[in-house]
Amino acid sequence: MSVCVRAVVRVLVLQAAWALGGGQVRYSVPEEAKGGTVVGRLAQDLGLEAGEAEARRLRLVSQGRRASVEVSGASGALVVSSRLDREELCGKSAPCALRLEVLLERPLRVFHVEVEVTDINDNAPLFPAATKNLSIAELSLPGSRFPLEGASDADIGANAQLSYTLSPSEHFALELQKKNERNIIPYLVLKKPLDRESLAEHRLLLTASDGGRPSLTGTVELVVSVLDVNDNAPQFNQSVYKVQVLESAAEGTLVAQVSATDLDEGSNSEVTYSASNFIPLSGRDLISVNAQTGEIRLVGPLDFEDVSVFDFRIEARDKGTPSLSGHCSVELEVLDVNDNAPEVWVTSLSVPVAEDASLGTVVALLSVSDRDSGSNGRVRCAVWPPSPFGLVATFAGSYSLVLREALDRERVSEYEVEVRAEDGGAPPLRASRGLRVPVSDVNDNAPAFAQAVYTVLARENNAAGAELARLWARDPDEAGNGRVSYSVAEGGAGSGSGSGSGSGSGWRPASSYVSVDAESGRLWALQPLDYEELQVLQFEVRAVDAGEPPLCGNATVQLFVVDENDNAPALLPPAGGGPGPWAAGEASASASAPGSLWAWAAWGAPAGQVVAKIRAVDADSGYNAWLRYELWEPRGKGPFRVGLYSGEVSTARALEEADGPRQRLLIVVRDHGEPSRSATATLSVSLVEGAEAALAAAGAVSAGAGLRPAAGAEGGAAAAAAAAAAAAAAATNVWLVVAICAVSSLFLLAVVLYGASRWAPRAAVLSGPGPATLVCASEVGSWSYSQRQSRSLCVADGAGKSDLMVFSPNCPPPPGPAPKETPQELPALLDTVSATRPPLAP
């Protein structure tokens, strides 16, 4: 437990030190250190455990420059790999620092390490030449000063601070003048007048010592020749010339022109110029001075990044004997131009990037640099296109390419990213680096159907296994994330219910009717469909992909069953009585075992008088349920006709005694399907006298019957419904029945008293062995869709019909039980009778 605590404390301390240090590790190592010398325990300073450096591949990132140091894989220490020469690496620059990038994987992290190479005193002062010749006129006055070429030391700091000493001499002394921080000029000072005749040449030893420990020295022999009588030396118009020149200046460019004058005459005033004492020494190859004119010109290319300032001295010497010289200093400052484009390196790249990667995810690490200085070396970086990636500056010259916006592989699967760098020069220089960033897929898209609702039409009586439709859902993901399987999710219908609701013989799921292929989305029928059982089946089809986790989409399928003409018309029983034995035939078939129906009609009834109405329904729909009525027997010009679409049996002409006491009609009910189907009914019409017809009509009204079949049977569903409706109205219409009976009695009494009438009232009486039922003719026809359609006994087209209907009470009672209900049509019956009474004879 204590070991863990100490480890945690150590990590926290290292992280705090890391934060305080700006996120950078600094080491120092002396130059000329031997290979294998440990610069620093890098892994330990980064807070890594033993062996973690090698496991996480701790290494240096090369930027095209030999670093001379490397990371030991086993220990994680930073060691010297090759010779370190500070002068070779940095020249005169101080401090001399190697800026390194250290990469650590799993997770990916980058650290910045700075190794300072410290100077050691490994370079002795060096004079330009081993011997220096000086010519001094013998007339030179004591105190005259003669500048000497100083030594140079490649070291820096204290190791490059030079001091000079002169060998003992009675005539000369050494004087040092500190020109600036970089340069100390030694002067040879005349202490005592010279006498050429006694000593024409003086040999002195000038020693330069640096400030190192131990100190290193360099020497130059000064050979002083004493000249005679040229007592005026050339003089420059200024002692120091400060000149600036662009580093892009071409060879031959005139930098400056110096001028010196000599007060002597003749050859003693003719001056020649020469340059010497270049600091650094490379200036001798780049700068020249015209000996005659004093023009300073460039003879080589300048590079601000190598040397920014040249110091040198120009000597003006006359041609006297001995010749005299004057000196001036020149400081040539090289001005930087934007001649170096930025450089961009990709130090690490982590691809592909998942499309659900969080914002801020690091995709790549980049390093940017520019060798220019100032604004020319100030680099701005940008990424193109500007989205979905962006750049984040981590340290000076280091950037991270991070995710700025959410990715969508289905929209863009791969990005070509260009990192652009531009410096602040005028004109600016640019560089770029291209990166290819692929996007990996995740399951982020659910399958989507082309339609939210599919409408499918299927003919009834289809074969089991028939293909009904093909559904298709699109998933833009790839591989398993985009592989879709289909299934029937939910839905169903009640068998025996045309609307698909759960009534009839029970609710059935949609999977018992249809099935969907899991791969292709084909919708199959599992069994033949029956329009009369099922008209609409609504269910959902689900599409699920194979991703993890799987996503799904739904679509609603509305399956409409298209009707086929598979049902023959069904004849309805009379509304007033029980159902009779009707006969139904197949399509295009003649009547087989037809039923008999009785009705009454009075002789002399006018043409168009309605005798009866045949009612039928068809369980099919549309044209398949549109019925038409045809009179098969008797054919030709019989006394009766049938309405084509109304089913009303009416007189075709006035009835006569010659037509006989009874007419047998064979009526065929046929639908409009292909092929058509039909049913037949037999109607027996009894022809009676007008008085008998009236009495039959009254008896029929009191019995509450309309049409009666020849043979009674148990009541069906339709007759029971009509009887129930009549019973409900009987209580309210009892007084109407009494009134009808009274009117009928008065009418018969009038017939007996007056004996004859001008004309017999023409009435249509439907006679049969049972009570009569009022039937109203309709010109509209019958358009039946199903057995649930309205089954009204009377459908009147208007109140202005001229039909005369008289019911005779003398009709024999039916063999079956008489109904106890009074039909609902009694008010219409009263209106019809009163409107058609004949006028009384005077």
Side-chain angles (χ1 to χ4, degrees):
M1 183 65 181
S2 60
V3 174
C4 294
V5 172
R6 286 198 299 270
V8 171
V9 171
R10 182 166 66 109
V11 170
L12 293 176
V13 171
L14 287 174
Q15 289 181 347
W18 178 265
L20 293 175
Q24 188 168 345
V25 179
R26 302 176 188 272
Y27 299 106
S28 65
V29 60
E31 64 173 328
E32 304 299 337
K34 295 181 180 180
T37 301
V38 176
V39 178
R41 301 188 180 278
L42 180 60
Q44 182 176 352
D45 294 338
L46 294 179
L48 302 179
E49 299 293 337
E52 189 177 359
E54 186 173 9
R56 295 181 63 182
R57 295 187 62 196
L58 179 67
R59 64 186 187 276
L60 293 180
V61 178
S62 174
Q63 297 184 0
R65 181 178 178 183
R66 185 170 59 86
S68 300
V69 293
E70 63 183 7
V71 176
S72 174
S75 63
L78 190 65
V79 299
V80 176
S81 61
S82 60
R83 178 176 176 267
L84 286 171
D85 188 349
R86 192 205 64 78
E87 288 74 25
E88 179 183 350
L89 294 173
C90 303
K92 298 291 288 184
S93 299
C96 180
L98 299 178
R99 292 177 175 83
L100 309 174
E101 287 186 359
V102 177
L103 194 65
L104 190 64
E105 296 184 355
R106 298 191 300 273
L108 179 65
R109 293 190 61 186
V110 62
F111 303 92
H112 292 264
V113 178
E114 183 176 289
V115 178
E116 180 181 0
V117 181
T118 59
D119 185 45
I120 64 173
N121 193 22
D122 59 341
N123 291 282
L126 180 65
F127 286 93
T131 302
K132 176 65 177 176
N133 294 318
L134 298 175
S135 298
I136 301 177
E138 65 174 330
L139 295 180
S140 298
L141 298 176
S144 298
R145 302 165 69 244
F146 305 94
L148 303 176
E149 286 187 279
S152 62
D153 195 323
D155 296 323
I156 61 172
N159 295 330
Q161 293 179 358
L162 303 180
S163 61
Y164 297 89
T165 59
L166 187 65
S167 60
S169 171
E170 63 176 334
H171 291 91
F172 296 96
L174 185 65
E175 181 179 318
L176 302 177
Q177 179 179 346
K178 189 173 184 180
K179 180 180 178 182
N180 51 42
E181 295 293 335
R182 301 182 302 274
N183 199 5
I184 296 177
I185 301 176
Y187 285 89
L188 188 64
V189 180
L190 183 62
K191 297 190 299 182
K192 182 179 179 181
L194 299 175
D195 186 3
R196 191 191 61 81
E197 287 71 27
S198 62
L199 185 60
E201 184 179 270
H202 298 264
R203 290 185 176 271
L204 306 172
L205 186 64
L206 180 61
T207 302
S209 303
D210 59 24
R213 292 291 184 272
S215 177
L216 300 180
T217 61
T219 60
V220 60
E221 185 181 24
L222 302 178
V223 180
V224 181
S225 299
V226 182
L227 304 177
D228 194 21
V229 189
N230 187 15
D231 55 351
N232 288 291
Q235 297 291 325
F236 286 93
N237 55 4
Q238 61 187 78
S239 60
V240 177
Y241 289 85
K242 294 185 177 181
V243 183
Q244 293 180 334
V245 63
L246 296 175
E247 67 170 322
S248 60
E251 295 182 14
T253 300
L254 176 63
V255 177
Q257 185 174 10
V258 297
S259 176
T261 58
D262 195 319
L263 299 178
D264 293 327
E265 293 181 349
S267 62
N268 291 333
S269 63
E270 294 178 4
V271 178
T272 60
Y273 301 93
S274 63
S276 62
N277 201 21
F278 282 92
I279 300 176
L281 295 178
S282 60
R284 292 182 300 184
D285 302 325
L286 304 176
I287 303 169
S288 69
V289 178
N290 189 294
Q292 304 302 322
T293 62
E295 291 179 345
I296 304 174
R297 292 184 180 274
L298 299 178
V299 294
L302 301 178
D303 191 350
F304 173 86
E305 287 71 39
D306 291 338
V307 180
S308 59
V309 176
F310 292 95
D311 291 324
F312 59 95
R313 187 168 67 241
I314 296 180
E315 179 183 76
R317 183 172 294 277
D318 60 25
K319 295 182 179 181
T321 303
S323 64
L324 300 179
S325 64
H327 303 83
C328 71
S329 297
V330 179
E331 293 182 5
L332 178 61
E333 181 180 1
V334 181
L335 300 180
D336 183 41
V337 295
N338 194 24
D339 59 344
N340 290 282
E343 295 178 324
V344 181
W345 297 286
V346 178
T347 58
S348 179
L349 182 63
S350 299
V351 292
V353 181
E355 65 174 322
D356 62 346
S358 60
L359 300 184
T361 299
V362 177
V363 178
L365 300 177
L366 304 106
S367 179
V368 181
S369 64
D370 193 316
R371 296 184 65 229
D372 293 322
S373 64
S375 61
N376 295 332
R378 204 174 318 59
V379 181
R380 299 185 300 272
C381 290
V383 62
W384 183 261
S387 62
F389 301 101
L391 287 178
V392 175
T394 53
F395 298 96
S398 296
Y399 294 87
S400 296
L401 182 68
V402 300
L403 187 62
R404 293 286 195 194
E405 298 177 5
L407 300 177
D408 187 357
R409 189 206 62 82
E410 289 70 38
R411 186 172 59 88
V412 181
S413 62
E414 182 176 286
Y415 291 88
E416 293 291 339
V417 180
E418 184 180 40
V419 178
R420 299 175 178 178
E422 179 182 278
D423 60 26
L429 298 180
R430 301 175 178 86
S432 64
R433 179 74 64 177
L435 295 138
R436 176 177 167 273
V437 183
V439 181
S440 60
D441 184 51
V442 297
N443 191 25
D444 59 344
N445 289 279
F449 285 91
Q451 301 173 217
V453 178
Y454 287 85
T455 300
V456 179
L457 301 179
R459 291 189 175 275
E460 68 172 326
N461 303 319
N462 59 293
E467 181 177 342
L468 303 179
R470 180 174 296 185
L471 310 180
W472 180 73
R474 178 179 178 271
D475 193 324
D477 293 324
E478 65 178 0
N481 295 333
R483 188 166 58 251
V484 179
S485 60
Y486 303 88
S487 63
V488 176
E490 59 183 26
S495 60
S497 173
S499 63
S501 61
S503 63
S505 60
W507 185 89
R508 295 178 61 184
S511 57
S512 64
Y513 293 101
V514 294
S515 174
V516 63
D517 187 88
E519 295 183 359
S520 65
R522 288 188 175 95
L523 188 65
W524 310 94
L526 296 179
Q527 63 182 20
L529 300 176
D530 187 356
Y531 175 84
E532 288 70 41
E533 174 188 337
L534 177 69
Q535 294 182 8
V536 179
L537 177 64
Q538 179 169 313
F539 56 93
E540 286 192 356
V541 174
R542 175 171 299 169
V544 183
D545 60 28
E548 185 61 38
L551 302 178
C552 66
N554 296 329
T556 299
V557 178
Q558 293 179 343
L559 177 62
F560 291 88
V561 181
V562 179
D563 183 44
E564 292 285 343
N565 192 24
D566 58 346
N567 290 281
L571 297 171
L572 296 178
W582 301 88
E586 295 297 325
S588 301
S590 61
S592 60
S596 297
L597 183 69
W598 288 89
W600 296 270
W603 284 322
Q609 179 67 53
V610 176
V611 175
K613 181 172 183 178
I614 306 300
R615 297 184 307 131
V617 294
D618 195 313
D620 294 320
S621 178
Y623 269 85
N624 297 329
W626 187 19
L627 304 179
R628 64 179 184 271
Y629 301 85
E630 301 174 1
L631 181 61
W632 272 26
E633 293 180 4
R635 293 183 179 275
K637 296 182 179 180
F640 297 98
R641 63 187 176 193
V642 178
L644 181 62
Y645 297 113
S646 64
E648 293 178 345
V649 180
S650 60
T651 57
R653 55 179 172 78
L655 299 179
E656 301 174 352
E657 294 185 4
D659 293 326
R662 180 177 298 177
Q663 290 285 331
R664 180 179 178 275
L665 307 180
L666 182 62
I667 300 171
V668 177
V669 183
R670 192 184 307 277
D671 59 28
H672 285 74
E674 287 295 338
S676 65
R677 296 177 180 271
S678 64
T680 60
T682 301
L683 176 63
S684 296
V685 180
S686 299
L687 303 182
V688 297
E689 292 290 342
E692 294 178 356
L695 293 175
V701 169
S702 62
L707 295 176
R708 286 295 295 173
E714 292 298 325
T732 59
N733 295 331
V734 62
W735 292 107
L736 292 178
V737 174
V738 174
I740 291 173
C741 294
V743 170
S744 299
S745 301
L746 291 175
F747 178 75
L748 293 177
L749 182 61
V751 172
V752 173
L753 292 176
Y754 294 99
S757 61
R758 292 182 179 180
W759 51 271
R762 305 303 182 188
V765 180
L766 303 180
S767 177
T773 301
L774 177 64
V775 178
C776 298
S778 174
E779 301 280 342
V780 177
S782 173
W783 185 278
S784 177
Y785 289 90
S786 70
Q787 294 179 354
R788 294 182 305 280
Q789 293 286 91
S790 175
R791 298 170 181 172
S792 300
L793 181 62
C794 275
V795 180
D797 200 16
K801 293 184 64 64
S802 60
D803 298 339
L804 177 62
M805 299 184 182
V806 179
F807 299 88
S808 174
N810 298 325
C811 295
K820 300 179 181 180
E821 301 85 12
T822 301
Q824 297 180 2
E825 291 79 0
L826 289 178
L829 174 63
L830 291 177
D831 293 341
T832 303
V833 173
S834 61
T836 57
R837 287 182 61 185
L840 298 176

